Amino acid sequence: MTTNFFTENADLVEVFDRVVPWTRVVRAVEGASANVHETVSTWREVLELAGRYMGTEIAPRGPRIDEIGVIRDDGQVRMNEPMTESLKGLAALGLASPSIPPDFGGAGLPFTVSMMLAEMLARADLATQVQHGIGWNSPAALIVRFGSDAQKARYLPRLAKGEIMGAVAMTEPQAGSDVGRLTMTATPQDDGHWILRGRKQFISAGQGEMCIVLARIPGSSGLDGLGLFIADREGDNYLIERAEHKFTIRGSPTCALVFEGTRATALGKPGDGWKQIVTFMNESRLGVGIQGIGVAQAAYDKAMEYTAQRVQMGKPIREHPMIADMLLEMRTIVSGARALAYEAAALQDLVMFSNDQRAARDVREITPLVKWYGAEGAVRVCRLALQVYGGYGVIDEYDVGRYMRDSLITPIYEGTSQIQSLMAVKDLMKWTLQRPATIVRSGPSRLLASASFDGRIGSDFRAARGHVLGALRLLLARLVRRKGLGALRGRELSEEDLGPILLHAERITEALAHTHVARVLGERAKLVPERRALAERAARTARLVAERNRRAIALDDGSVLEQIAEWRKELTQNKHP
């Protein structure tokens, strides 16, 4: 049984010790004169301490947290006792919100280290990690970034100690991913406060003592004129309408909140809410990808343990070729997702602390891929774990069923996998249309274009990259046939113009994600030669996925867009009989 989720995870330790560019991160976070060795050693000690607590205390509580679920008692919503104990223990270790600056009682950890904590906590119990990440880290990050001195003094020390819990309330019943349809209003008052009116839905950790709310200021529309506001729940300033009944992350309260005459203070400049929330969303999406890694690691560990012990036909089932192939696929997904995620996390630290513009461009490219691959990979790994357990996998006594259920939230919240695909491909097409010549070379992705490997890794990586480019050429050729050469000359294109491209966004994203995973594992094999076989497997998979998806795009018969046009015609006819 694993008792330390850091030191006993060889892959995570290797990423920490040999892959993350700590010199750049430390100097960005702590300044050019910082002692890199001492700083990194301190961060490593934090991870070792946390890994032991998560492995020995939090993980054993996971099944009970899931079994009890959310407590709904006479209209009150709260976390169950095992989860509360786990969070109290983290707070006692100084890990309630460890990224808060030391001046306010936090540890001032960089994003990369915070995400390693998040991965280990998600592995122990995803519901607890959601409460920790959304209830403490998310509101703290926004207040650190945009809060006034008074707001920082009021909230940050209490969040750092775990004395209060908060939430970030964006989603509304009629406005999920379409944030421009948000209707909650914020009206200014003469005393400097604002009054909030409206409803929020699907708010993780919504049972807490305070909430950061995205609302619309008077006279605004679309994404313009949104603002962030801090509201305390004290005295029924806002109400918990209900906690949803879910089959996934059962112990984490997901709440519907009602704001009717709620007093609040502005967080930053009213009207800048969308720009402010985008910074939170980018980090949250990386965080969800890393949640997926944690759950996948837990499922993979259980599968490895079970297949070594379960004997069929005279040998452990892991020695049967198909089972062995499944285990290797799981390992490749987990390691690849981890390598890509911590590349992105380190880039995010460089952006946050040193405003590195190249890092900003690169992290913008790979953030949706981390979220997509980490989430979809978690579902795949948990599904394979369930399969190797056979009938035992669906029995609650075993943990893999819980991992399967919990993994299913990761492709949904903080932007579905399809939203991530649209983000990734819209950016890719924007860069491609600005520099159309790149599609005859190595493509618009600087990271992919500059990567080079020898041997089997190199040939498969180049083939995967070539299939991605081939798919882009196909889509651009169709665009030119429909819209003329002006489409390649910077002309603004509508959603309808881009329809054939957006139809295949997830195929492009899947190919891109696998190709980037091959890249990062290939780079890692240069540093750690014993990882070459893993990189070769990832590169081979990338080649197969990219080729399959290019062929699917080439064989598109237009029926999907024809069906959309037919539905649109029916709607028009119904409106004007």
Side-chain angles (χ1 to χ4, degrees):
M1 179 179 177
T2 303
T3 57
N4 191 311
F5 280 2
F6 181 71
T7 59
E8 296 176 43
N9 184 336
D11 192 68
L12 181 58
V13 168
E14 189 172 274
V15 169
F16 186 97
D17 286 345
R18 304 185 66 175
V19 179
V20 175
W22 286 123
T23 298
R24 295 182 67 197
V25 172
V26 169
R27 289 177 177 165
V29 174
E30 301 289 340
S33 61
N35 186 310
V36 174
H37 176 74
E38 288 185 5
T39 302
V40 174
S41 295
T42 298
W43 292 342
R44 201 181 196 284
E45 289 172 5
V46 171
L47 292 173
E48 290 179 14
L49 177 67
R52 185 180 306 111
Y53 178 72
M54 292 172 188
T56 58
E57 298 289 335
I58 298 180
R61 295 188 186 111
R64 187 65 176 149
I65 289 170
D66 181 72
E67 180 184 6
I68 299 172
V70 175
I71 303 299
R72 301 168 178 86
D73 183 14
D74 193 25
Q76 299 297 310
V77 173
R78 66 178 189 274
M79 300 177 293
N80 61 50
E81 188 60 29
M83 180 182 282
T84 301
E85 285 300 309
S86 291
L87 292 171
K88 282 181 179 177
L90 287 170
L93 292 173
L95 298 175
S97 188
S99 60
I100 289 177
D103 289 349
F104 297 99
L109 296 182
F111 184 72
T112 306
V113 178
S114 294
M115 288 300 97
M116 289 183 175
L117 290 169
E119 180 196 325
M120 294 190 295
L121 187 50
R123 177 183 171 188
D125 180 55
L126 182 56
T128 302
Q129 194 281 324
V130 170
Q131 289 301 107
H132 179 271
I134 299 296
W136 283 332
N137 289 333
S138 293
L142 288 170
I143 293 169
V144 166
R145 201 163 297 160
F146 305 114
S148 65
D149 290 343
Q151 288 169 332
K152 291 176 182 178
R154 176 176 173 81
Y155 295 105
L156 292 181
R158 290 189 291 165
L159 288 167
K161 294 176 184 176
E163 293 175 349
I164 60 170
M165 187 166 280
V168 179
M170 292 175 51
T171 305
E172 296 185 7
Q174 80 295 337
S177 298
D178 188 1
V179 180
R181 296 185 63 199
L182 183 145
T183 60
M184 171 167 277
T185 61
T187 305
Q189 305 297 295
D190 292 339
D191 63 359
H193 284 82
W194 294 70
I195 297 296
L196 307 181
R197 288 187 172 85
R199 276 178 161 75
K200 295 291 183 180
Q201 191 172 12
F202 302 139
I203 308 306
S204 298
Q207 87 297 333
E209 289 78 17
M210 52 84 69
C211 192
I212 295 177
V213 186
L214 187 65
R216 183 172 302 287
I217 63 176
S220 66
S221 62
L223 296 177
D224 296 326
L226 300 178
L228 289 178
F229 303 88
I230 305 179
D232 295 318
R233 190 159 66 91
E234 183 179 15
D236 291 336
N237 191 34
Y238 63 88
L239 301 176
I240 301 175
E241 187 173 43
R242 66 181 180 278
E244 308 291 357
H245 293 266
K246 315 184 300 296
F247 69 85
T248 184
I249 52 172
R250 285 177 170 167
S252 171
T254 301
C255 301
L257 306 178
V258 178
F259 300 82
E260 289 297 339
T262 300
R263 287 175 62 81
T265 59
L267 179 63
K269 180 182 176 183
D272 285 349
W274 177 245
K275 290 188 290 185
Q276 294 168 331
I277 211 69
V278 162
T279 66
F280 164 76
M281 290 166 63
N282 289 339
E283 291 161 31
S284 293
R285 285 165 176 162
L286 291 175
V288 173
I290 287 169
Q291 285 180 351
I293 297 166
V295 177
Q297 181 70 54
Y300 171 64
D301 288 341
K302 290 290 185 182
M304 286 294 292
E305 179 183 335
Y306 181 78
T307 57
Q309 296 172 354
R310 175 74 165 168
V311 175
Q312 294 283 277
M313 303 174 192
K315 57 187 175 184
I317 63 173
R318 71 180 181 182
E319 295 179 20
H320 293 278
M322 283 191 291
I323 299 296
D325 187 53
M326 293 161 74
L327 293 170
L328 283 173
E329 181 181 352
M330 296 164 75
R331 179 188 177 198
T332 305
I333 290 171
V334 173
S335 294
R338 180 177 287 124
L340 188 63
Y342 290 117
E343 178 185 60
L347 288 170
Q348 185 67 15
D349 273 321
L350 298 181
V351 173
M352 292 167 61
F353 292 100
S354 65
N355 196 30
D356 185 317
Q357 290 305 300
R358 172 173 281 191
R361 165 67 172 80
D362 290 344
V363 79
R364 180 182 175 93
E365 176 184 352
I366 60 177
T367 290
L369 305 181
V370 169
K371 207 282 189 180
W372 188 93
Y373 190 87
E376 295 294 337
V379 174
R380 176 63 177 164
V381 169
C382 292
R383 174 67 183 84
L384 290 172
L386 198 68
Q387 191 69 21
V388 301
Y389 266 78
Y392 290 105
V394 300
I395 297 174
D396 285 342
E397 179 183 346
Y398 298 87
D399 289 325
V400 289
R402 171 165 58 94
Y403 300 148
M404 182 78 253
R405 287 187 287 103
D406 283 352
S407 74
L408 292 172
I409 190 60
T410 60
I412 294 174
Y413 63 5
E414 298 301 337
T416 65
S417 290
Q418 291 67 43
I419 291 293
Q420 303 311 305
S421 298
L422 292 175
M423 289 172 56
V425 170
K426 281 182 177 180
D427 272 351
L428 187 69
M429 295 310 301
K430 178 181 177 181
W431 296 326
T432 301
L433 292 173
Q434 289 172 349
R435 303 169 187 82
T438 59
I439 63 169
V440 300
R441 298 196 294 270
S442 298
S445 165
R446 186 192 70 81
L447 291 169
L448 293 181
S450 61
S452 177
F453 310 101
D454 60 12
R456 181 65 184 270
I457 299 173
S459 60
D460 284 339
F461 173 78
R462 289 189 298 274
R465 185 175 61 191
H467 287 306
V468 172
L469 284 171
L472 291 176
R473 291 184 194 119
L474 278 171
L475 292 170
L476 286 174
R478 290 176 187 171
L479 180 62
V480 169
R481 283 197 296 271
R482 292 176 68 243
K483 307 304 296 185
L485 286 173
L488 300 181
R489 294 173 182 156
R491 193 178 73 191
E492 191 71 24
L493 297 173
S494 67
E495 291 280 320
E496 189 170 348
D497 294 334
L498 294 172
I501 295 172
L502 300 183
L503 167 63
H504 297 291
E506 191 155 16
R507 291 189 174 98
I508 295 290
T509 298
E510 182 183 24
L512 278 171
H514 278 276
T515 306
H516 272 286
V517 165
R519 173 184 62 80
V520 292
L521 289 180
E523 296 292 351
R524 183 169 168 186
K526 294 177 182 178
L527 299 171
V528 189
E530 54 266 38
R531 295 291 176 261
R532 188 168 185 87
L534 187 70
E536 287 177 348
R537 185 178 181 91
R540 183 169 66 251
T541 300
R543 179 176 189 162
L544 293 170
V545 169
E547 181 177 9
R548 179 196 69 204
N549 288 357
R550 179 185 63 78
R551 290 180 179 275
I553 292 169
L555 293 172
D556 177 20
D557 63 359
S559 59
V560 172
L561 296 180
E562 288 172 4
Q563 180 64 77
I564 291 173
E566 189 175 320
W567 286 331
R568 191 172 292 157
K569 183 178 179 181
E570 289 176 5
L571 184 63
T572 302
Q573 289 173 343
N574 291 335
K575 284 184 176 179
H576 307 285

